[in-house]
Amino acid sequence: MVATNQIFSVLIIFALSLLVIRIGSIALRMTGLSSDVSTFQAASAFSGAGFTTEEAEFTVSEPSRRTTVLWLIRIGSIGVVSALASLLLSFINSGGENSLTLVYILGGVLLIIAIAKSQLLNEAVTPLIERALERTTDLAIQDYTRMLGLQSEYRVAEVDVNQDDWLSNNSADEMNLGEEGVLLLGIQRNGDYIGAPGSDTEIHPDDTVVLYGKEGRLQELSDRAEGDVDAHEDAIEEHKDVLDEQAELIDQ
C-alpha cells in the first residue's frame, strides 16, 4: 500500500509539472513567441535551469512574458522538481526491494510523456488553456505569423551589411526601399538595437538590418552589389505589378 501511494505521488507530481510547463508555454506563445522558444523557456524557468541566452533575455524583455516566467520560477521553487527527484532517488538507493516499484514509476512516467505528446490531446487541451488564460489574464493571442503573412511569400529577415553592398552607406529613403516593397524594421549596430528607425537613418557597414518583404526580394537585396541600379529598377517594376494585383483584390 505504501509503495502504491509512493508511485501515485511521483506520477501525480510529474503530471502536474508537465501541465504547469504546458500552461506556461502556451502563455508565452500567446505573447508572440514561437512554439519552440516558448516551450524551451517555460521548461527552463520551471526547472530553474537558468539559461542566460539572448533568447532568454528577449523573453523577459516584455512585461507579460516576464510575469509568466516569474510565476513558473515561483512554482518550480516550491520544490516540485526537488520532490520528484528525491522520491526517485529514494527508490534507487533503497536496493532491490523497491526495484519493481521503480519499474512501475518509469513505466508510468513514459506513459504520461506519451500522452502529453499526443496530437489529439494537444488539439483538445490547448484551446481550453488559451481561453482560460484570456479570461483570467490580460494575455491575448498574437499570431504574428498570420498577421504578417509569413505563411505565404512574406518574411522577416536579418541581413548582414558589408561595405560594397547596395544597402551600405544609404538610408531607406535614398534607396527607395518602400518602392521595392521592403520595410526596414530595425538595425543592430555595435551590440545595440535601433527599433523602427526613421527612413532617413543611414545604414552602416557591419550593421545587421531587419527587413520585411517578399522572400525572393529580400534574398536578392541581401546579395545586391553597390551601384546595381538595374536590379533596383527591376525590383520597383516588380513591386508595381504586386500593387496592381493587390488593388484588384481590394476592388473585389
Side-chain angles (χ1 to χ4, degrees), residues 3 5-15 17 79-95 98-110 112-113:
N5 290 337
Q6 290 176 323
I7 292 172
F8 278 113
S9 297
V10 171
L11 296 181
I12 289 172
I13 291 173
F14 186 75
S17 298
V80 175
V81 177
S82 299
L84 181 60
S86 298
L87 284 171
L88 287 173
L89 287 174
S90 68
F91 291 124
I92 295 172
N93 296 330
S94 62
N98 281 325
S99 60
L100 186 59
T101 301
L102 183 59
V103 171
Y104 288 145
I105 290 176
L106 293 177
V109 167
L110 292 175
I112 291 173
I113 292 175

Side-chain angles (χ1 to χ4, degrees), residues 3 24 117 133 138 151 162 192 251:
K117 290 186 175 181
L133 290 172
D138 58 357
Q151 291 173 323
N162 299 314
D192 297 320
D251 293 336

Side-chain angles (χ1 to χ4, degrees), residues 164-222:
D164 297 328
D165 288 348
W166 171 269
L167 294 170
S168 181
N169 298 311
N170 285 306
S171 68
D173 272 348
E174 291 171 333
M175 292 179 288
N176 296 322
L177 286 183
E179 294 186 16
E180 295 191 28
V182 175
L183 299 179
L184 176 62
L185 301 181
I187 301 173
Q188 295 178 8
R189 178 179 296 164
N190 300 324
D192 297 320
Y193 184 77
I194 305 171
S199 58
D200 58 347
T201 302
E202 186 174 285
I203 299 170
H204 298 166
D206 299 324
D207 283 351
T208 297
V209 293
V210 183
L211 304 175
Y212 171 73
K214 284 197 169 185
E215 183 176 13
R217 176 58 51 223
L218 297 180
Q219 182 62 54
E220 185 275 326
L221 191 59
S222 68

Side-chain angles (χ1 to χ4, degrees), residues 6 28 33 40-41 44 58 62 69 91 109 114 121 163 181 221-222:
Q6 290 176 323
L28 291 174
L33 290 180
F40 180 83
Q41 293 302 326
S44 175
F58 173 72
E62 198 272 335
V69 170
F91 291 124
V109 167
L121 180 66
Q163 177 65 46
L221 191 59
S222 68

